[in-house]
Amino acid sequence: MTAAADASSKANALKLEANALYSSHKYHEAIEKYTEAIAADPAVPAFYTNRAQCHIHTEGYGAAKQDADSALELDATFIKGYFRRAVALLAMGQLKEARADFREVTKRAPGDAVARKKYVECDKLYRRIQFEQAIDSEVDRKRVADTVDLKNYPVPEEYSGPRMAVRKVLKKNDKEKEVEEEEEYVDQAFVDGITEWFRDQKTLPIRYVYVILLQVDRLLRQLPSLVDVAVPADGVLTVCGDVHGQYYDVLNIFKLNGAPTATHHYLFNGDFVDRGSFSLEVMLLFYAYKLLHPQGFYLNRGNHESVGMNQLYGFEGEVRHKYPAQGKRLFDLFQESFEALPVAHLIQEKIFVVHGGLYSRETAGNSAQEGGDGVVRLDELRAMSRFHQPQHSGLLRESLWSDPQNQEGRAPSPRGTAIQFGPDVTREFCQANGLEMVIRSHQEMEEGYEIVHDGRCVTVFSAPNYCDQSTNKGAYIRIAPDLTRTYHKFTAVPHPPVRAMAYANINRFMN
């Protein structure tokens, strides 16, 4: 056997191992095996597109696009290269470019009905979003929150579920005179009631949904982008990571660890919605708790609290499905509340909690290019503009999207946006800001959490059996008043037979 034949045989054997790992949903291990296959024989386009599919499943969309590009450089007629690149571009919100690649697939395989269907669906999605963006960009457009008149949405007489409490408040009328009016509000009985109501897969009257969203929007807009918090002197603060619409696992956290109270505070670190099919229930319960305990239930924005992600990964589809008559308006109102969410929290001046991670030198106010040390300061984050969708760069984008790496320094992210940051970056950030550590989320962890960067960076992920197809545990962190930390793992609990990604647009393009 020649050396070339031997390398080809070895590469094919590695590919078969990788295929088996992929079939078992062990995507990270499969990526390693495909990488070995490529090293053994770098001239096979299918090795790159197979690895690209694994990157797509692990949200490494930038890496998936690079692999698809590599496959097409080897063979410009390789149809799967266009298809994988289209899915990666779609996942990154680049619908126009994705549509072009899907169209290329239909040109090269005109008889492929599946490919034609995916192109048509992508084209429809692209045109719908373009149309809605054109409407939303009108100069005189009002915020949805300013257009909701609750008088138009009475609670139906036949509604038998939990009721909001009512109190008398003074409000100014059209003539600027104070008058006494009744106002609905969230109390403990209502929170307890909706917890079980949602468990039984029942929906609230649209009036109550609007009341919750309007009140929480007003509350959130009063907060800075970086919120300072303290652990209750006679209690504990629990930090949780991504929950991704896994409502029944959220209830399990409260069962195992205790529900939020005046002395048991919670901080949920973003990605409340998408993928899991009970995102609406998660969001409404979290917002209700925020209204009940405004100084003890904290929410950070994640990268999935954004319109582009929600349009692809399920939250928009879920809202439209569960409230068809008010779906578009309700979805837009949720987006306004997401834009008002704080980006980070600082626990007793020592523990920085953010969804994604740290920053490129270029985003610092004292950037290295300007002769500074290139380390972002906390005051910059407090003053950060956040009442908008994340742009492709900047402090907000990196807060929501960055990931740690084992290597020193910074590197482009395989996600296709933001950066990866090394132990030295974490150390410099902590030293410059007087911090002990960074807690972040954003990545599935097999054991629910991971401690890296010499103990200065912890990832916590609280969605076990992620997307109903992983083997990962969930985790949460309990923080005492003296800032000692204990880490707790838990496994997934059953949920009703509504599969993950049931409402996701991107689900139609994955295979």
Side-chain angles (χ1 to χ4, degrees):
M1 182 179 292
T2 65
D6 184 59
S8 177
S9 177
K10 178 182 177 182
N12 277 307
L14 289 164
K15 180 199 73 171
L16 292 175
E17 290 183 50
N19 289 352
L21 290 166
Y22 175 84
S23 297
S24 301
H25 307 299
K26 297 179 179 179
Y27 303 121
H28 292 287
E29 294 91 334
I31 288 171
E32 294 177 3
K33 285 297 178 182
Y34 285 129
T35 301
E36 292 180 32
I38 289 168
D41 188 352
V44 182
F47 293 171
Y48 295 92
T49 55
N50 286 4
R51 188 171 67 177
Q53 181 72 341
C54 294
H55 282 307
I56 288 168
H57 279 286
T58 58
E59 303 183 13
Y61 306 122
K65 179 183 177 298
Q66 290 177 354
D67 274 345
D69 287 340
S70 296
L72 291 171
E73 287 174 5
L74 291 170
D75 182 358
T77 69
F78 193 59
I79 293 175
K80 195 167 286 187
Y82 293 102
F83 183 79
R84 293 285 184 262
R85 188 168 68 185
V87 174
L89 289 165
L90 184 71
M92 291 189 288
Q94 300 176 34
L95 270 69
K96 183 178 180 179
E97 294 81 0
R99 183 180 65 160
D101 272 341
F102 278 125
R103 187 178 184 185
E104 188 67 28
V105 173
T106 63
K107 287 181 178 179
R108 295 179 180 275
D112 190 330
V114 173
R116 179 67 186 175
K117 181 180 178 182
K118 292 184 186 299
Y119 165 68
V120 170
E121 289 178 341
C122 183
D123 183 62
K124 286 171 61 178
L125 180 63
Y126 170 73
R127 290 178 185 275
R128 176 174 71 80
I129 292 174
Q130 288 292 107
F131 175 73
E132 291 175 355
Q133 287 177 344
I135 294 174
D136 290 344
S137 64
E138 293 177 5
V139 176
D140 60 350
R141 182 178 69 93
K142 294 182 179 179
R143 293 183 61 237
V144 177
D146 297 329
T147 69
V148 177
D149 186 349
L150 293 174
K151 294 176 183 177
N152 296 328
Y153 305 100
V155 175
E157 292 182 5
E158 66 273 16
Y159 174 66
S160 61
R163 298 268 175 171
M164 299 190 87
V166 179
R167 60 191 169 196
K168 299 286 187 179
V169 295
L170 291 176
K171 292 185 177 181
K172 289 185 178 181
N173 62 16
D174 295 339
K175 297 180 180 179
E176 294 297 309
K177 290 185 178 181
E178 286 191 341
V179 295
E180 189 175 72
E181 293 183 5
E182 289 188 341
E183 178 184 74
E184 291 148 313
Y185 69 98
V186 170
D187 63 1
Q188 186 67 59
F190 182 73
V191 171
D192 293 343
I194 66 171
T195 298
E196 298 308 313
W197 192 251
F198 292 156
R199 190 197 298 271
D200 294 335
Q201 294 182 268
K202 298 176 181 178
T203 56
L204 289 178
I206 189 65
R207 176 185 181 86
Y208 285 170
V209 178
Y210 279 144
V211 170
I212 291 170
L213 287 174
L214 293 173
Q215 290 185 2
V216 84
D217 183 79
R218 286 196 296 269
L219 173 62
L220 294 174
R221 287 178 184 275
Q222 298 172 17
L223 301 175
S225 294
L226 171 62
V227 179
D228 291 272
V229 301
V231 181
D234 55 347
V236 65
L237 170 63
T238 295
V239 179
C240 299
D242 306 39
V243 297
H244 277 297
Q246 296 184 200
Y247 181 74
Y248 297 85
D249 291 308
V250 169
L251 298 188
N252 191 40
I253 292 173
F254 294 156
K255 178 182 177 181
L256 296 171
N257 188 53
T261 67
T263 57
H264 188 169
H265 293 183
Y266 272 86
L267 168 51
F268 281 88
N269 195 25
D271 279 14
F272 318 118
V273 301
D274 283 339
R275 301 189 181 276
S277 295
F278 305 93
S279 295
L280 187 62
E281 291 81 1
V282 167
M283 208 66 252
L284 290 174
L285 181 64
F286 281 3
Y287 277 170
Y289 265 122
K290 181 63 182 175
L291 293 170
L292 182 65
H293 299 297
Q295 302 301 322
F297 193 87
Y298 306 107
L299 300 170
N300 268 342
R301 188 178 186 180
N303 63 299
H304 277 267
E305 279 70 61
S306 61
V307 64
M309 302 301 282
N310 295 163
Q311 287 172 330
L312 292 174
Y313 289 95
F315 186 57
E316 182 191 32
E318 182 182 343
V319 171
R320 287 177 180 261
H321 175 80
K322 293 177 179 177
Y323 289 92
Q326 297 288 327
K328 173 62 168 65
R329 191 184 201 195
L330 187 56
F331 177 69
D332 290 344
L333 190 56
F334 267 110
Q335 292 305 317
E336 290 179 1
S337 73
F338 289 167
E339 291 178 357
L341 287 165
V343 179
H345 283 72
L346 181 62
I347 303 173
Q348 293 179 188
E349 301 183 342
K350 292 298 179 183
I351 301 176
F352 178 72
V353 186
V354 69
H355 178 73
L358 301 184
Y359 308 97
S360 60
R361 292 188 183 278
E362 290 70 25
T363 58
N366 58 340
S367 69
Q369 295 174 348
E370 299 169 346
D373 60 11
V375 180
V376 169
R377 297 304 200 271
L378 296 181
D379 284 344
E380 295 177 65
L381 298 173
R382 288 191 178 92
M384 172 175 46
S385 170
R386 74 176 191 274
F387 297 104
H388 53 78
Q389 293 298 309
Q391 306 302 316
H392 291 294
S393 61
L395 286 175
L396 179 58
R397 188 75 176 187
E398 292 172 356
S399 295
L400 305 184
W401 280 92
S402 290
D403 293 304
Q405 63 179 15
N406 293 327
Q407 298 79 14
E408 299 279 300
R410 296 171 172 86
S413 170
R415 296 179 187 269
T417 188
I419 65 162
Q420 293 190 142
F421 58 96
D424 56 326
V425 178
T426 303
R427 181 176 62 252
E428 291 169 1
F429 179 79
C430 288
Q431 289 176 348
N433 289 292
L435 303 173
E436 291 182 8
M437 66 181 301
V438 174
I439 296 177
R440 44 90 60 184
S441 301
H442 193 41
Q443 288 177 294
E444 174 191 345
M445 291 292 140
E446 187 63 27
E447 292 301 312
Y449 73 96
E450 183 180 60
I451 304 173
V452 296
H453 294 184
D454 301 316
R456 293 188 180 93
C457 181
V458 176
T459 299
V460 59
F461 192 83
S462 304
N465 190 26
Y466 184 41
C467 289
D468 291 340
Q469 63 178 21
S470 296
T471 59
N472 69 293
K473 297 181 178 68
Y476 52 86
I477 307 169
R478 289 174 60 93
I479 303 177
D482 64 357
L483 298 187
T484 57
R485 298 168 290 278
T486 56
Y487 298 85
H488 302 262
K489 297 183 285 187
F490 62 98
T491 55
V493 297
H495 64 74
V498 183
R499 62 182 174 80
M501 303 283 281
Y503 305 106
N505 278 310
I506 198 170
N507 209 35
R508 303 196 299 269
F509 302 97
M510 291 295 286
N511 296 303

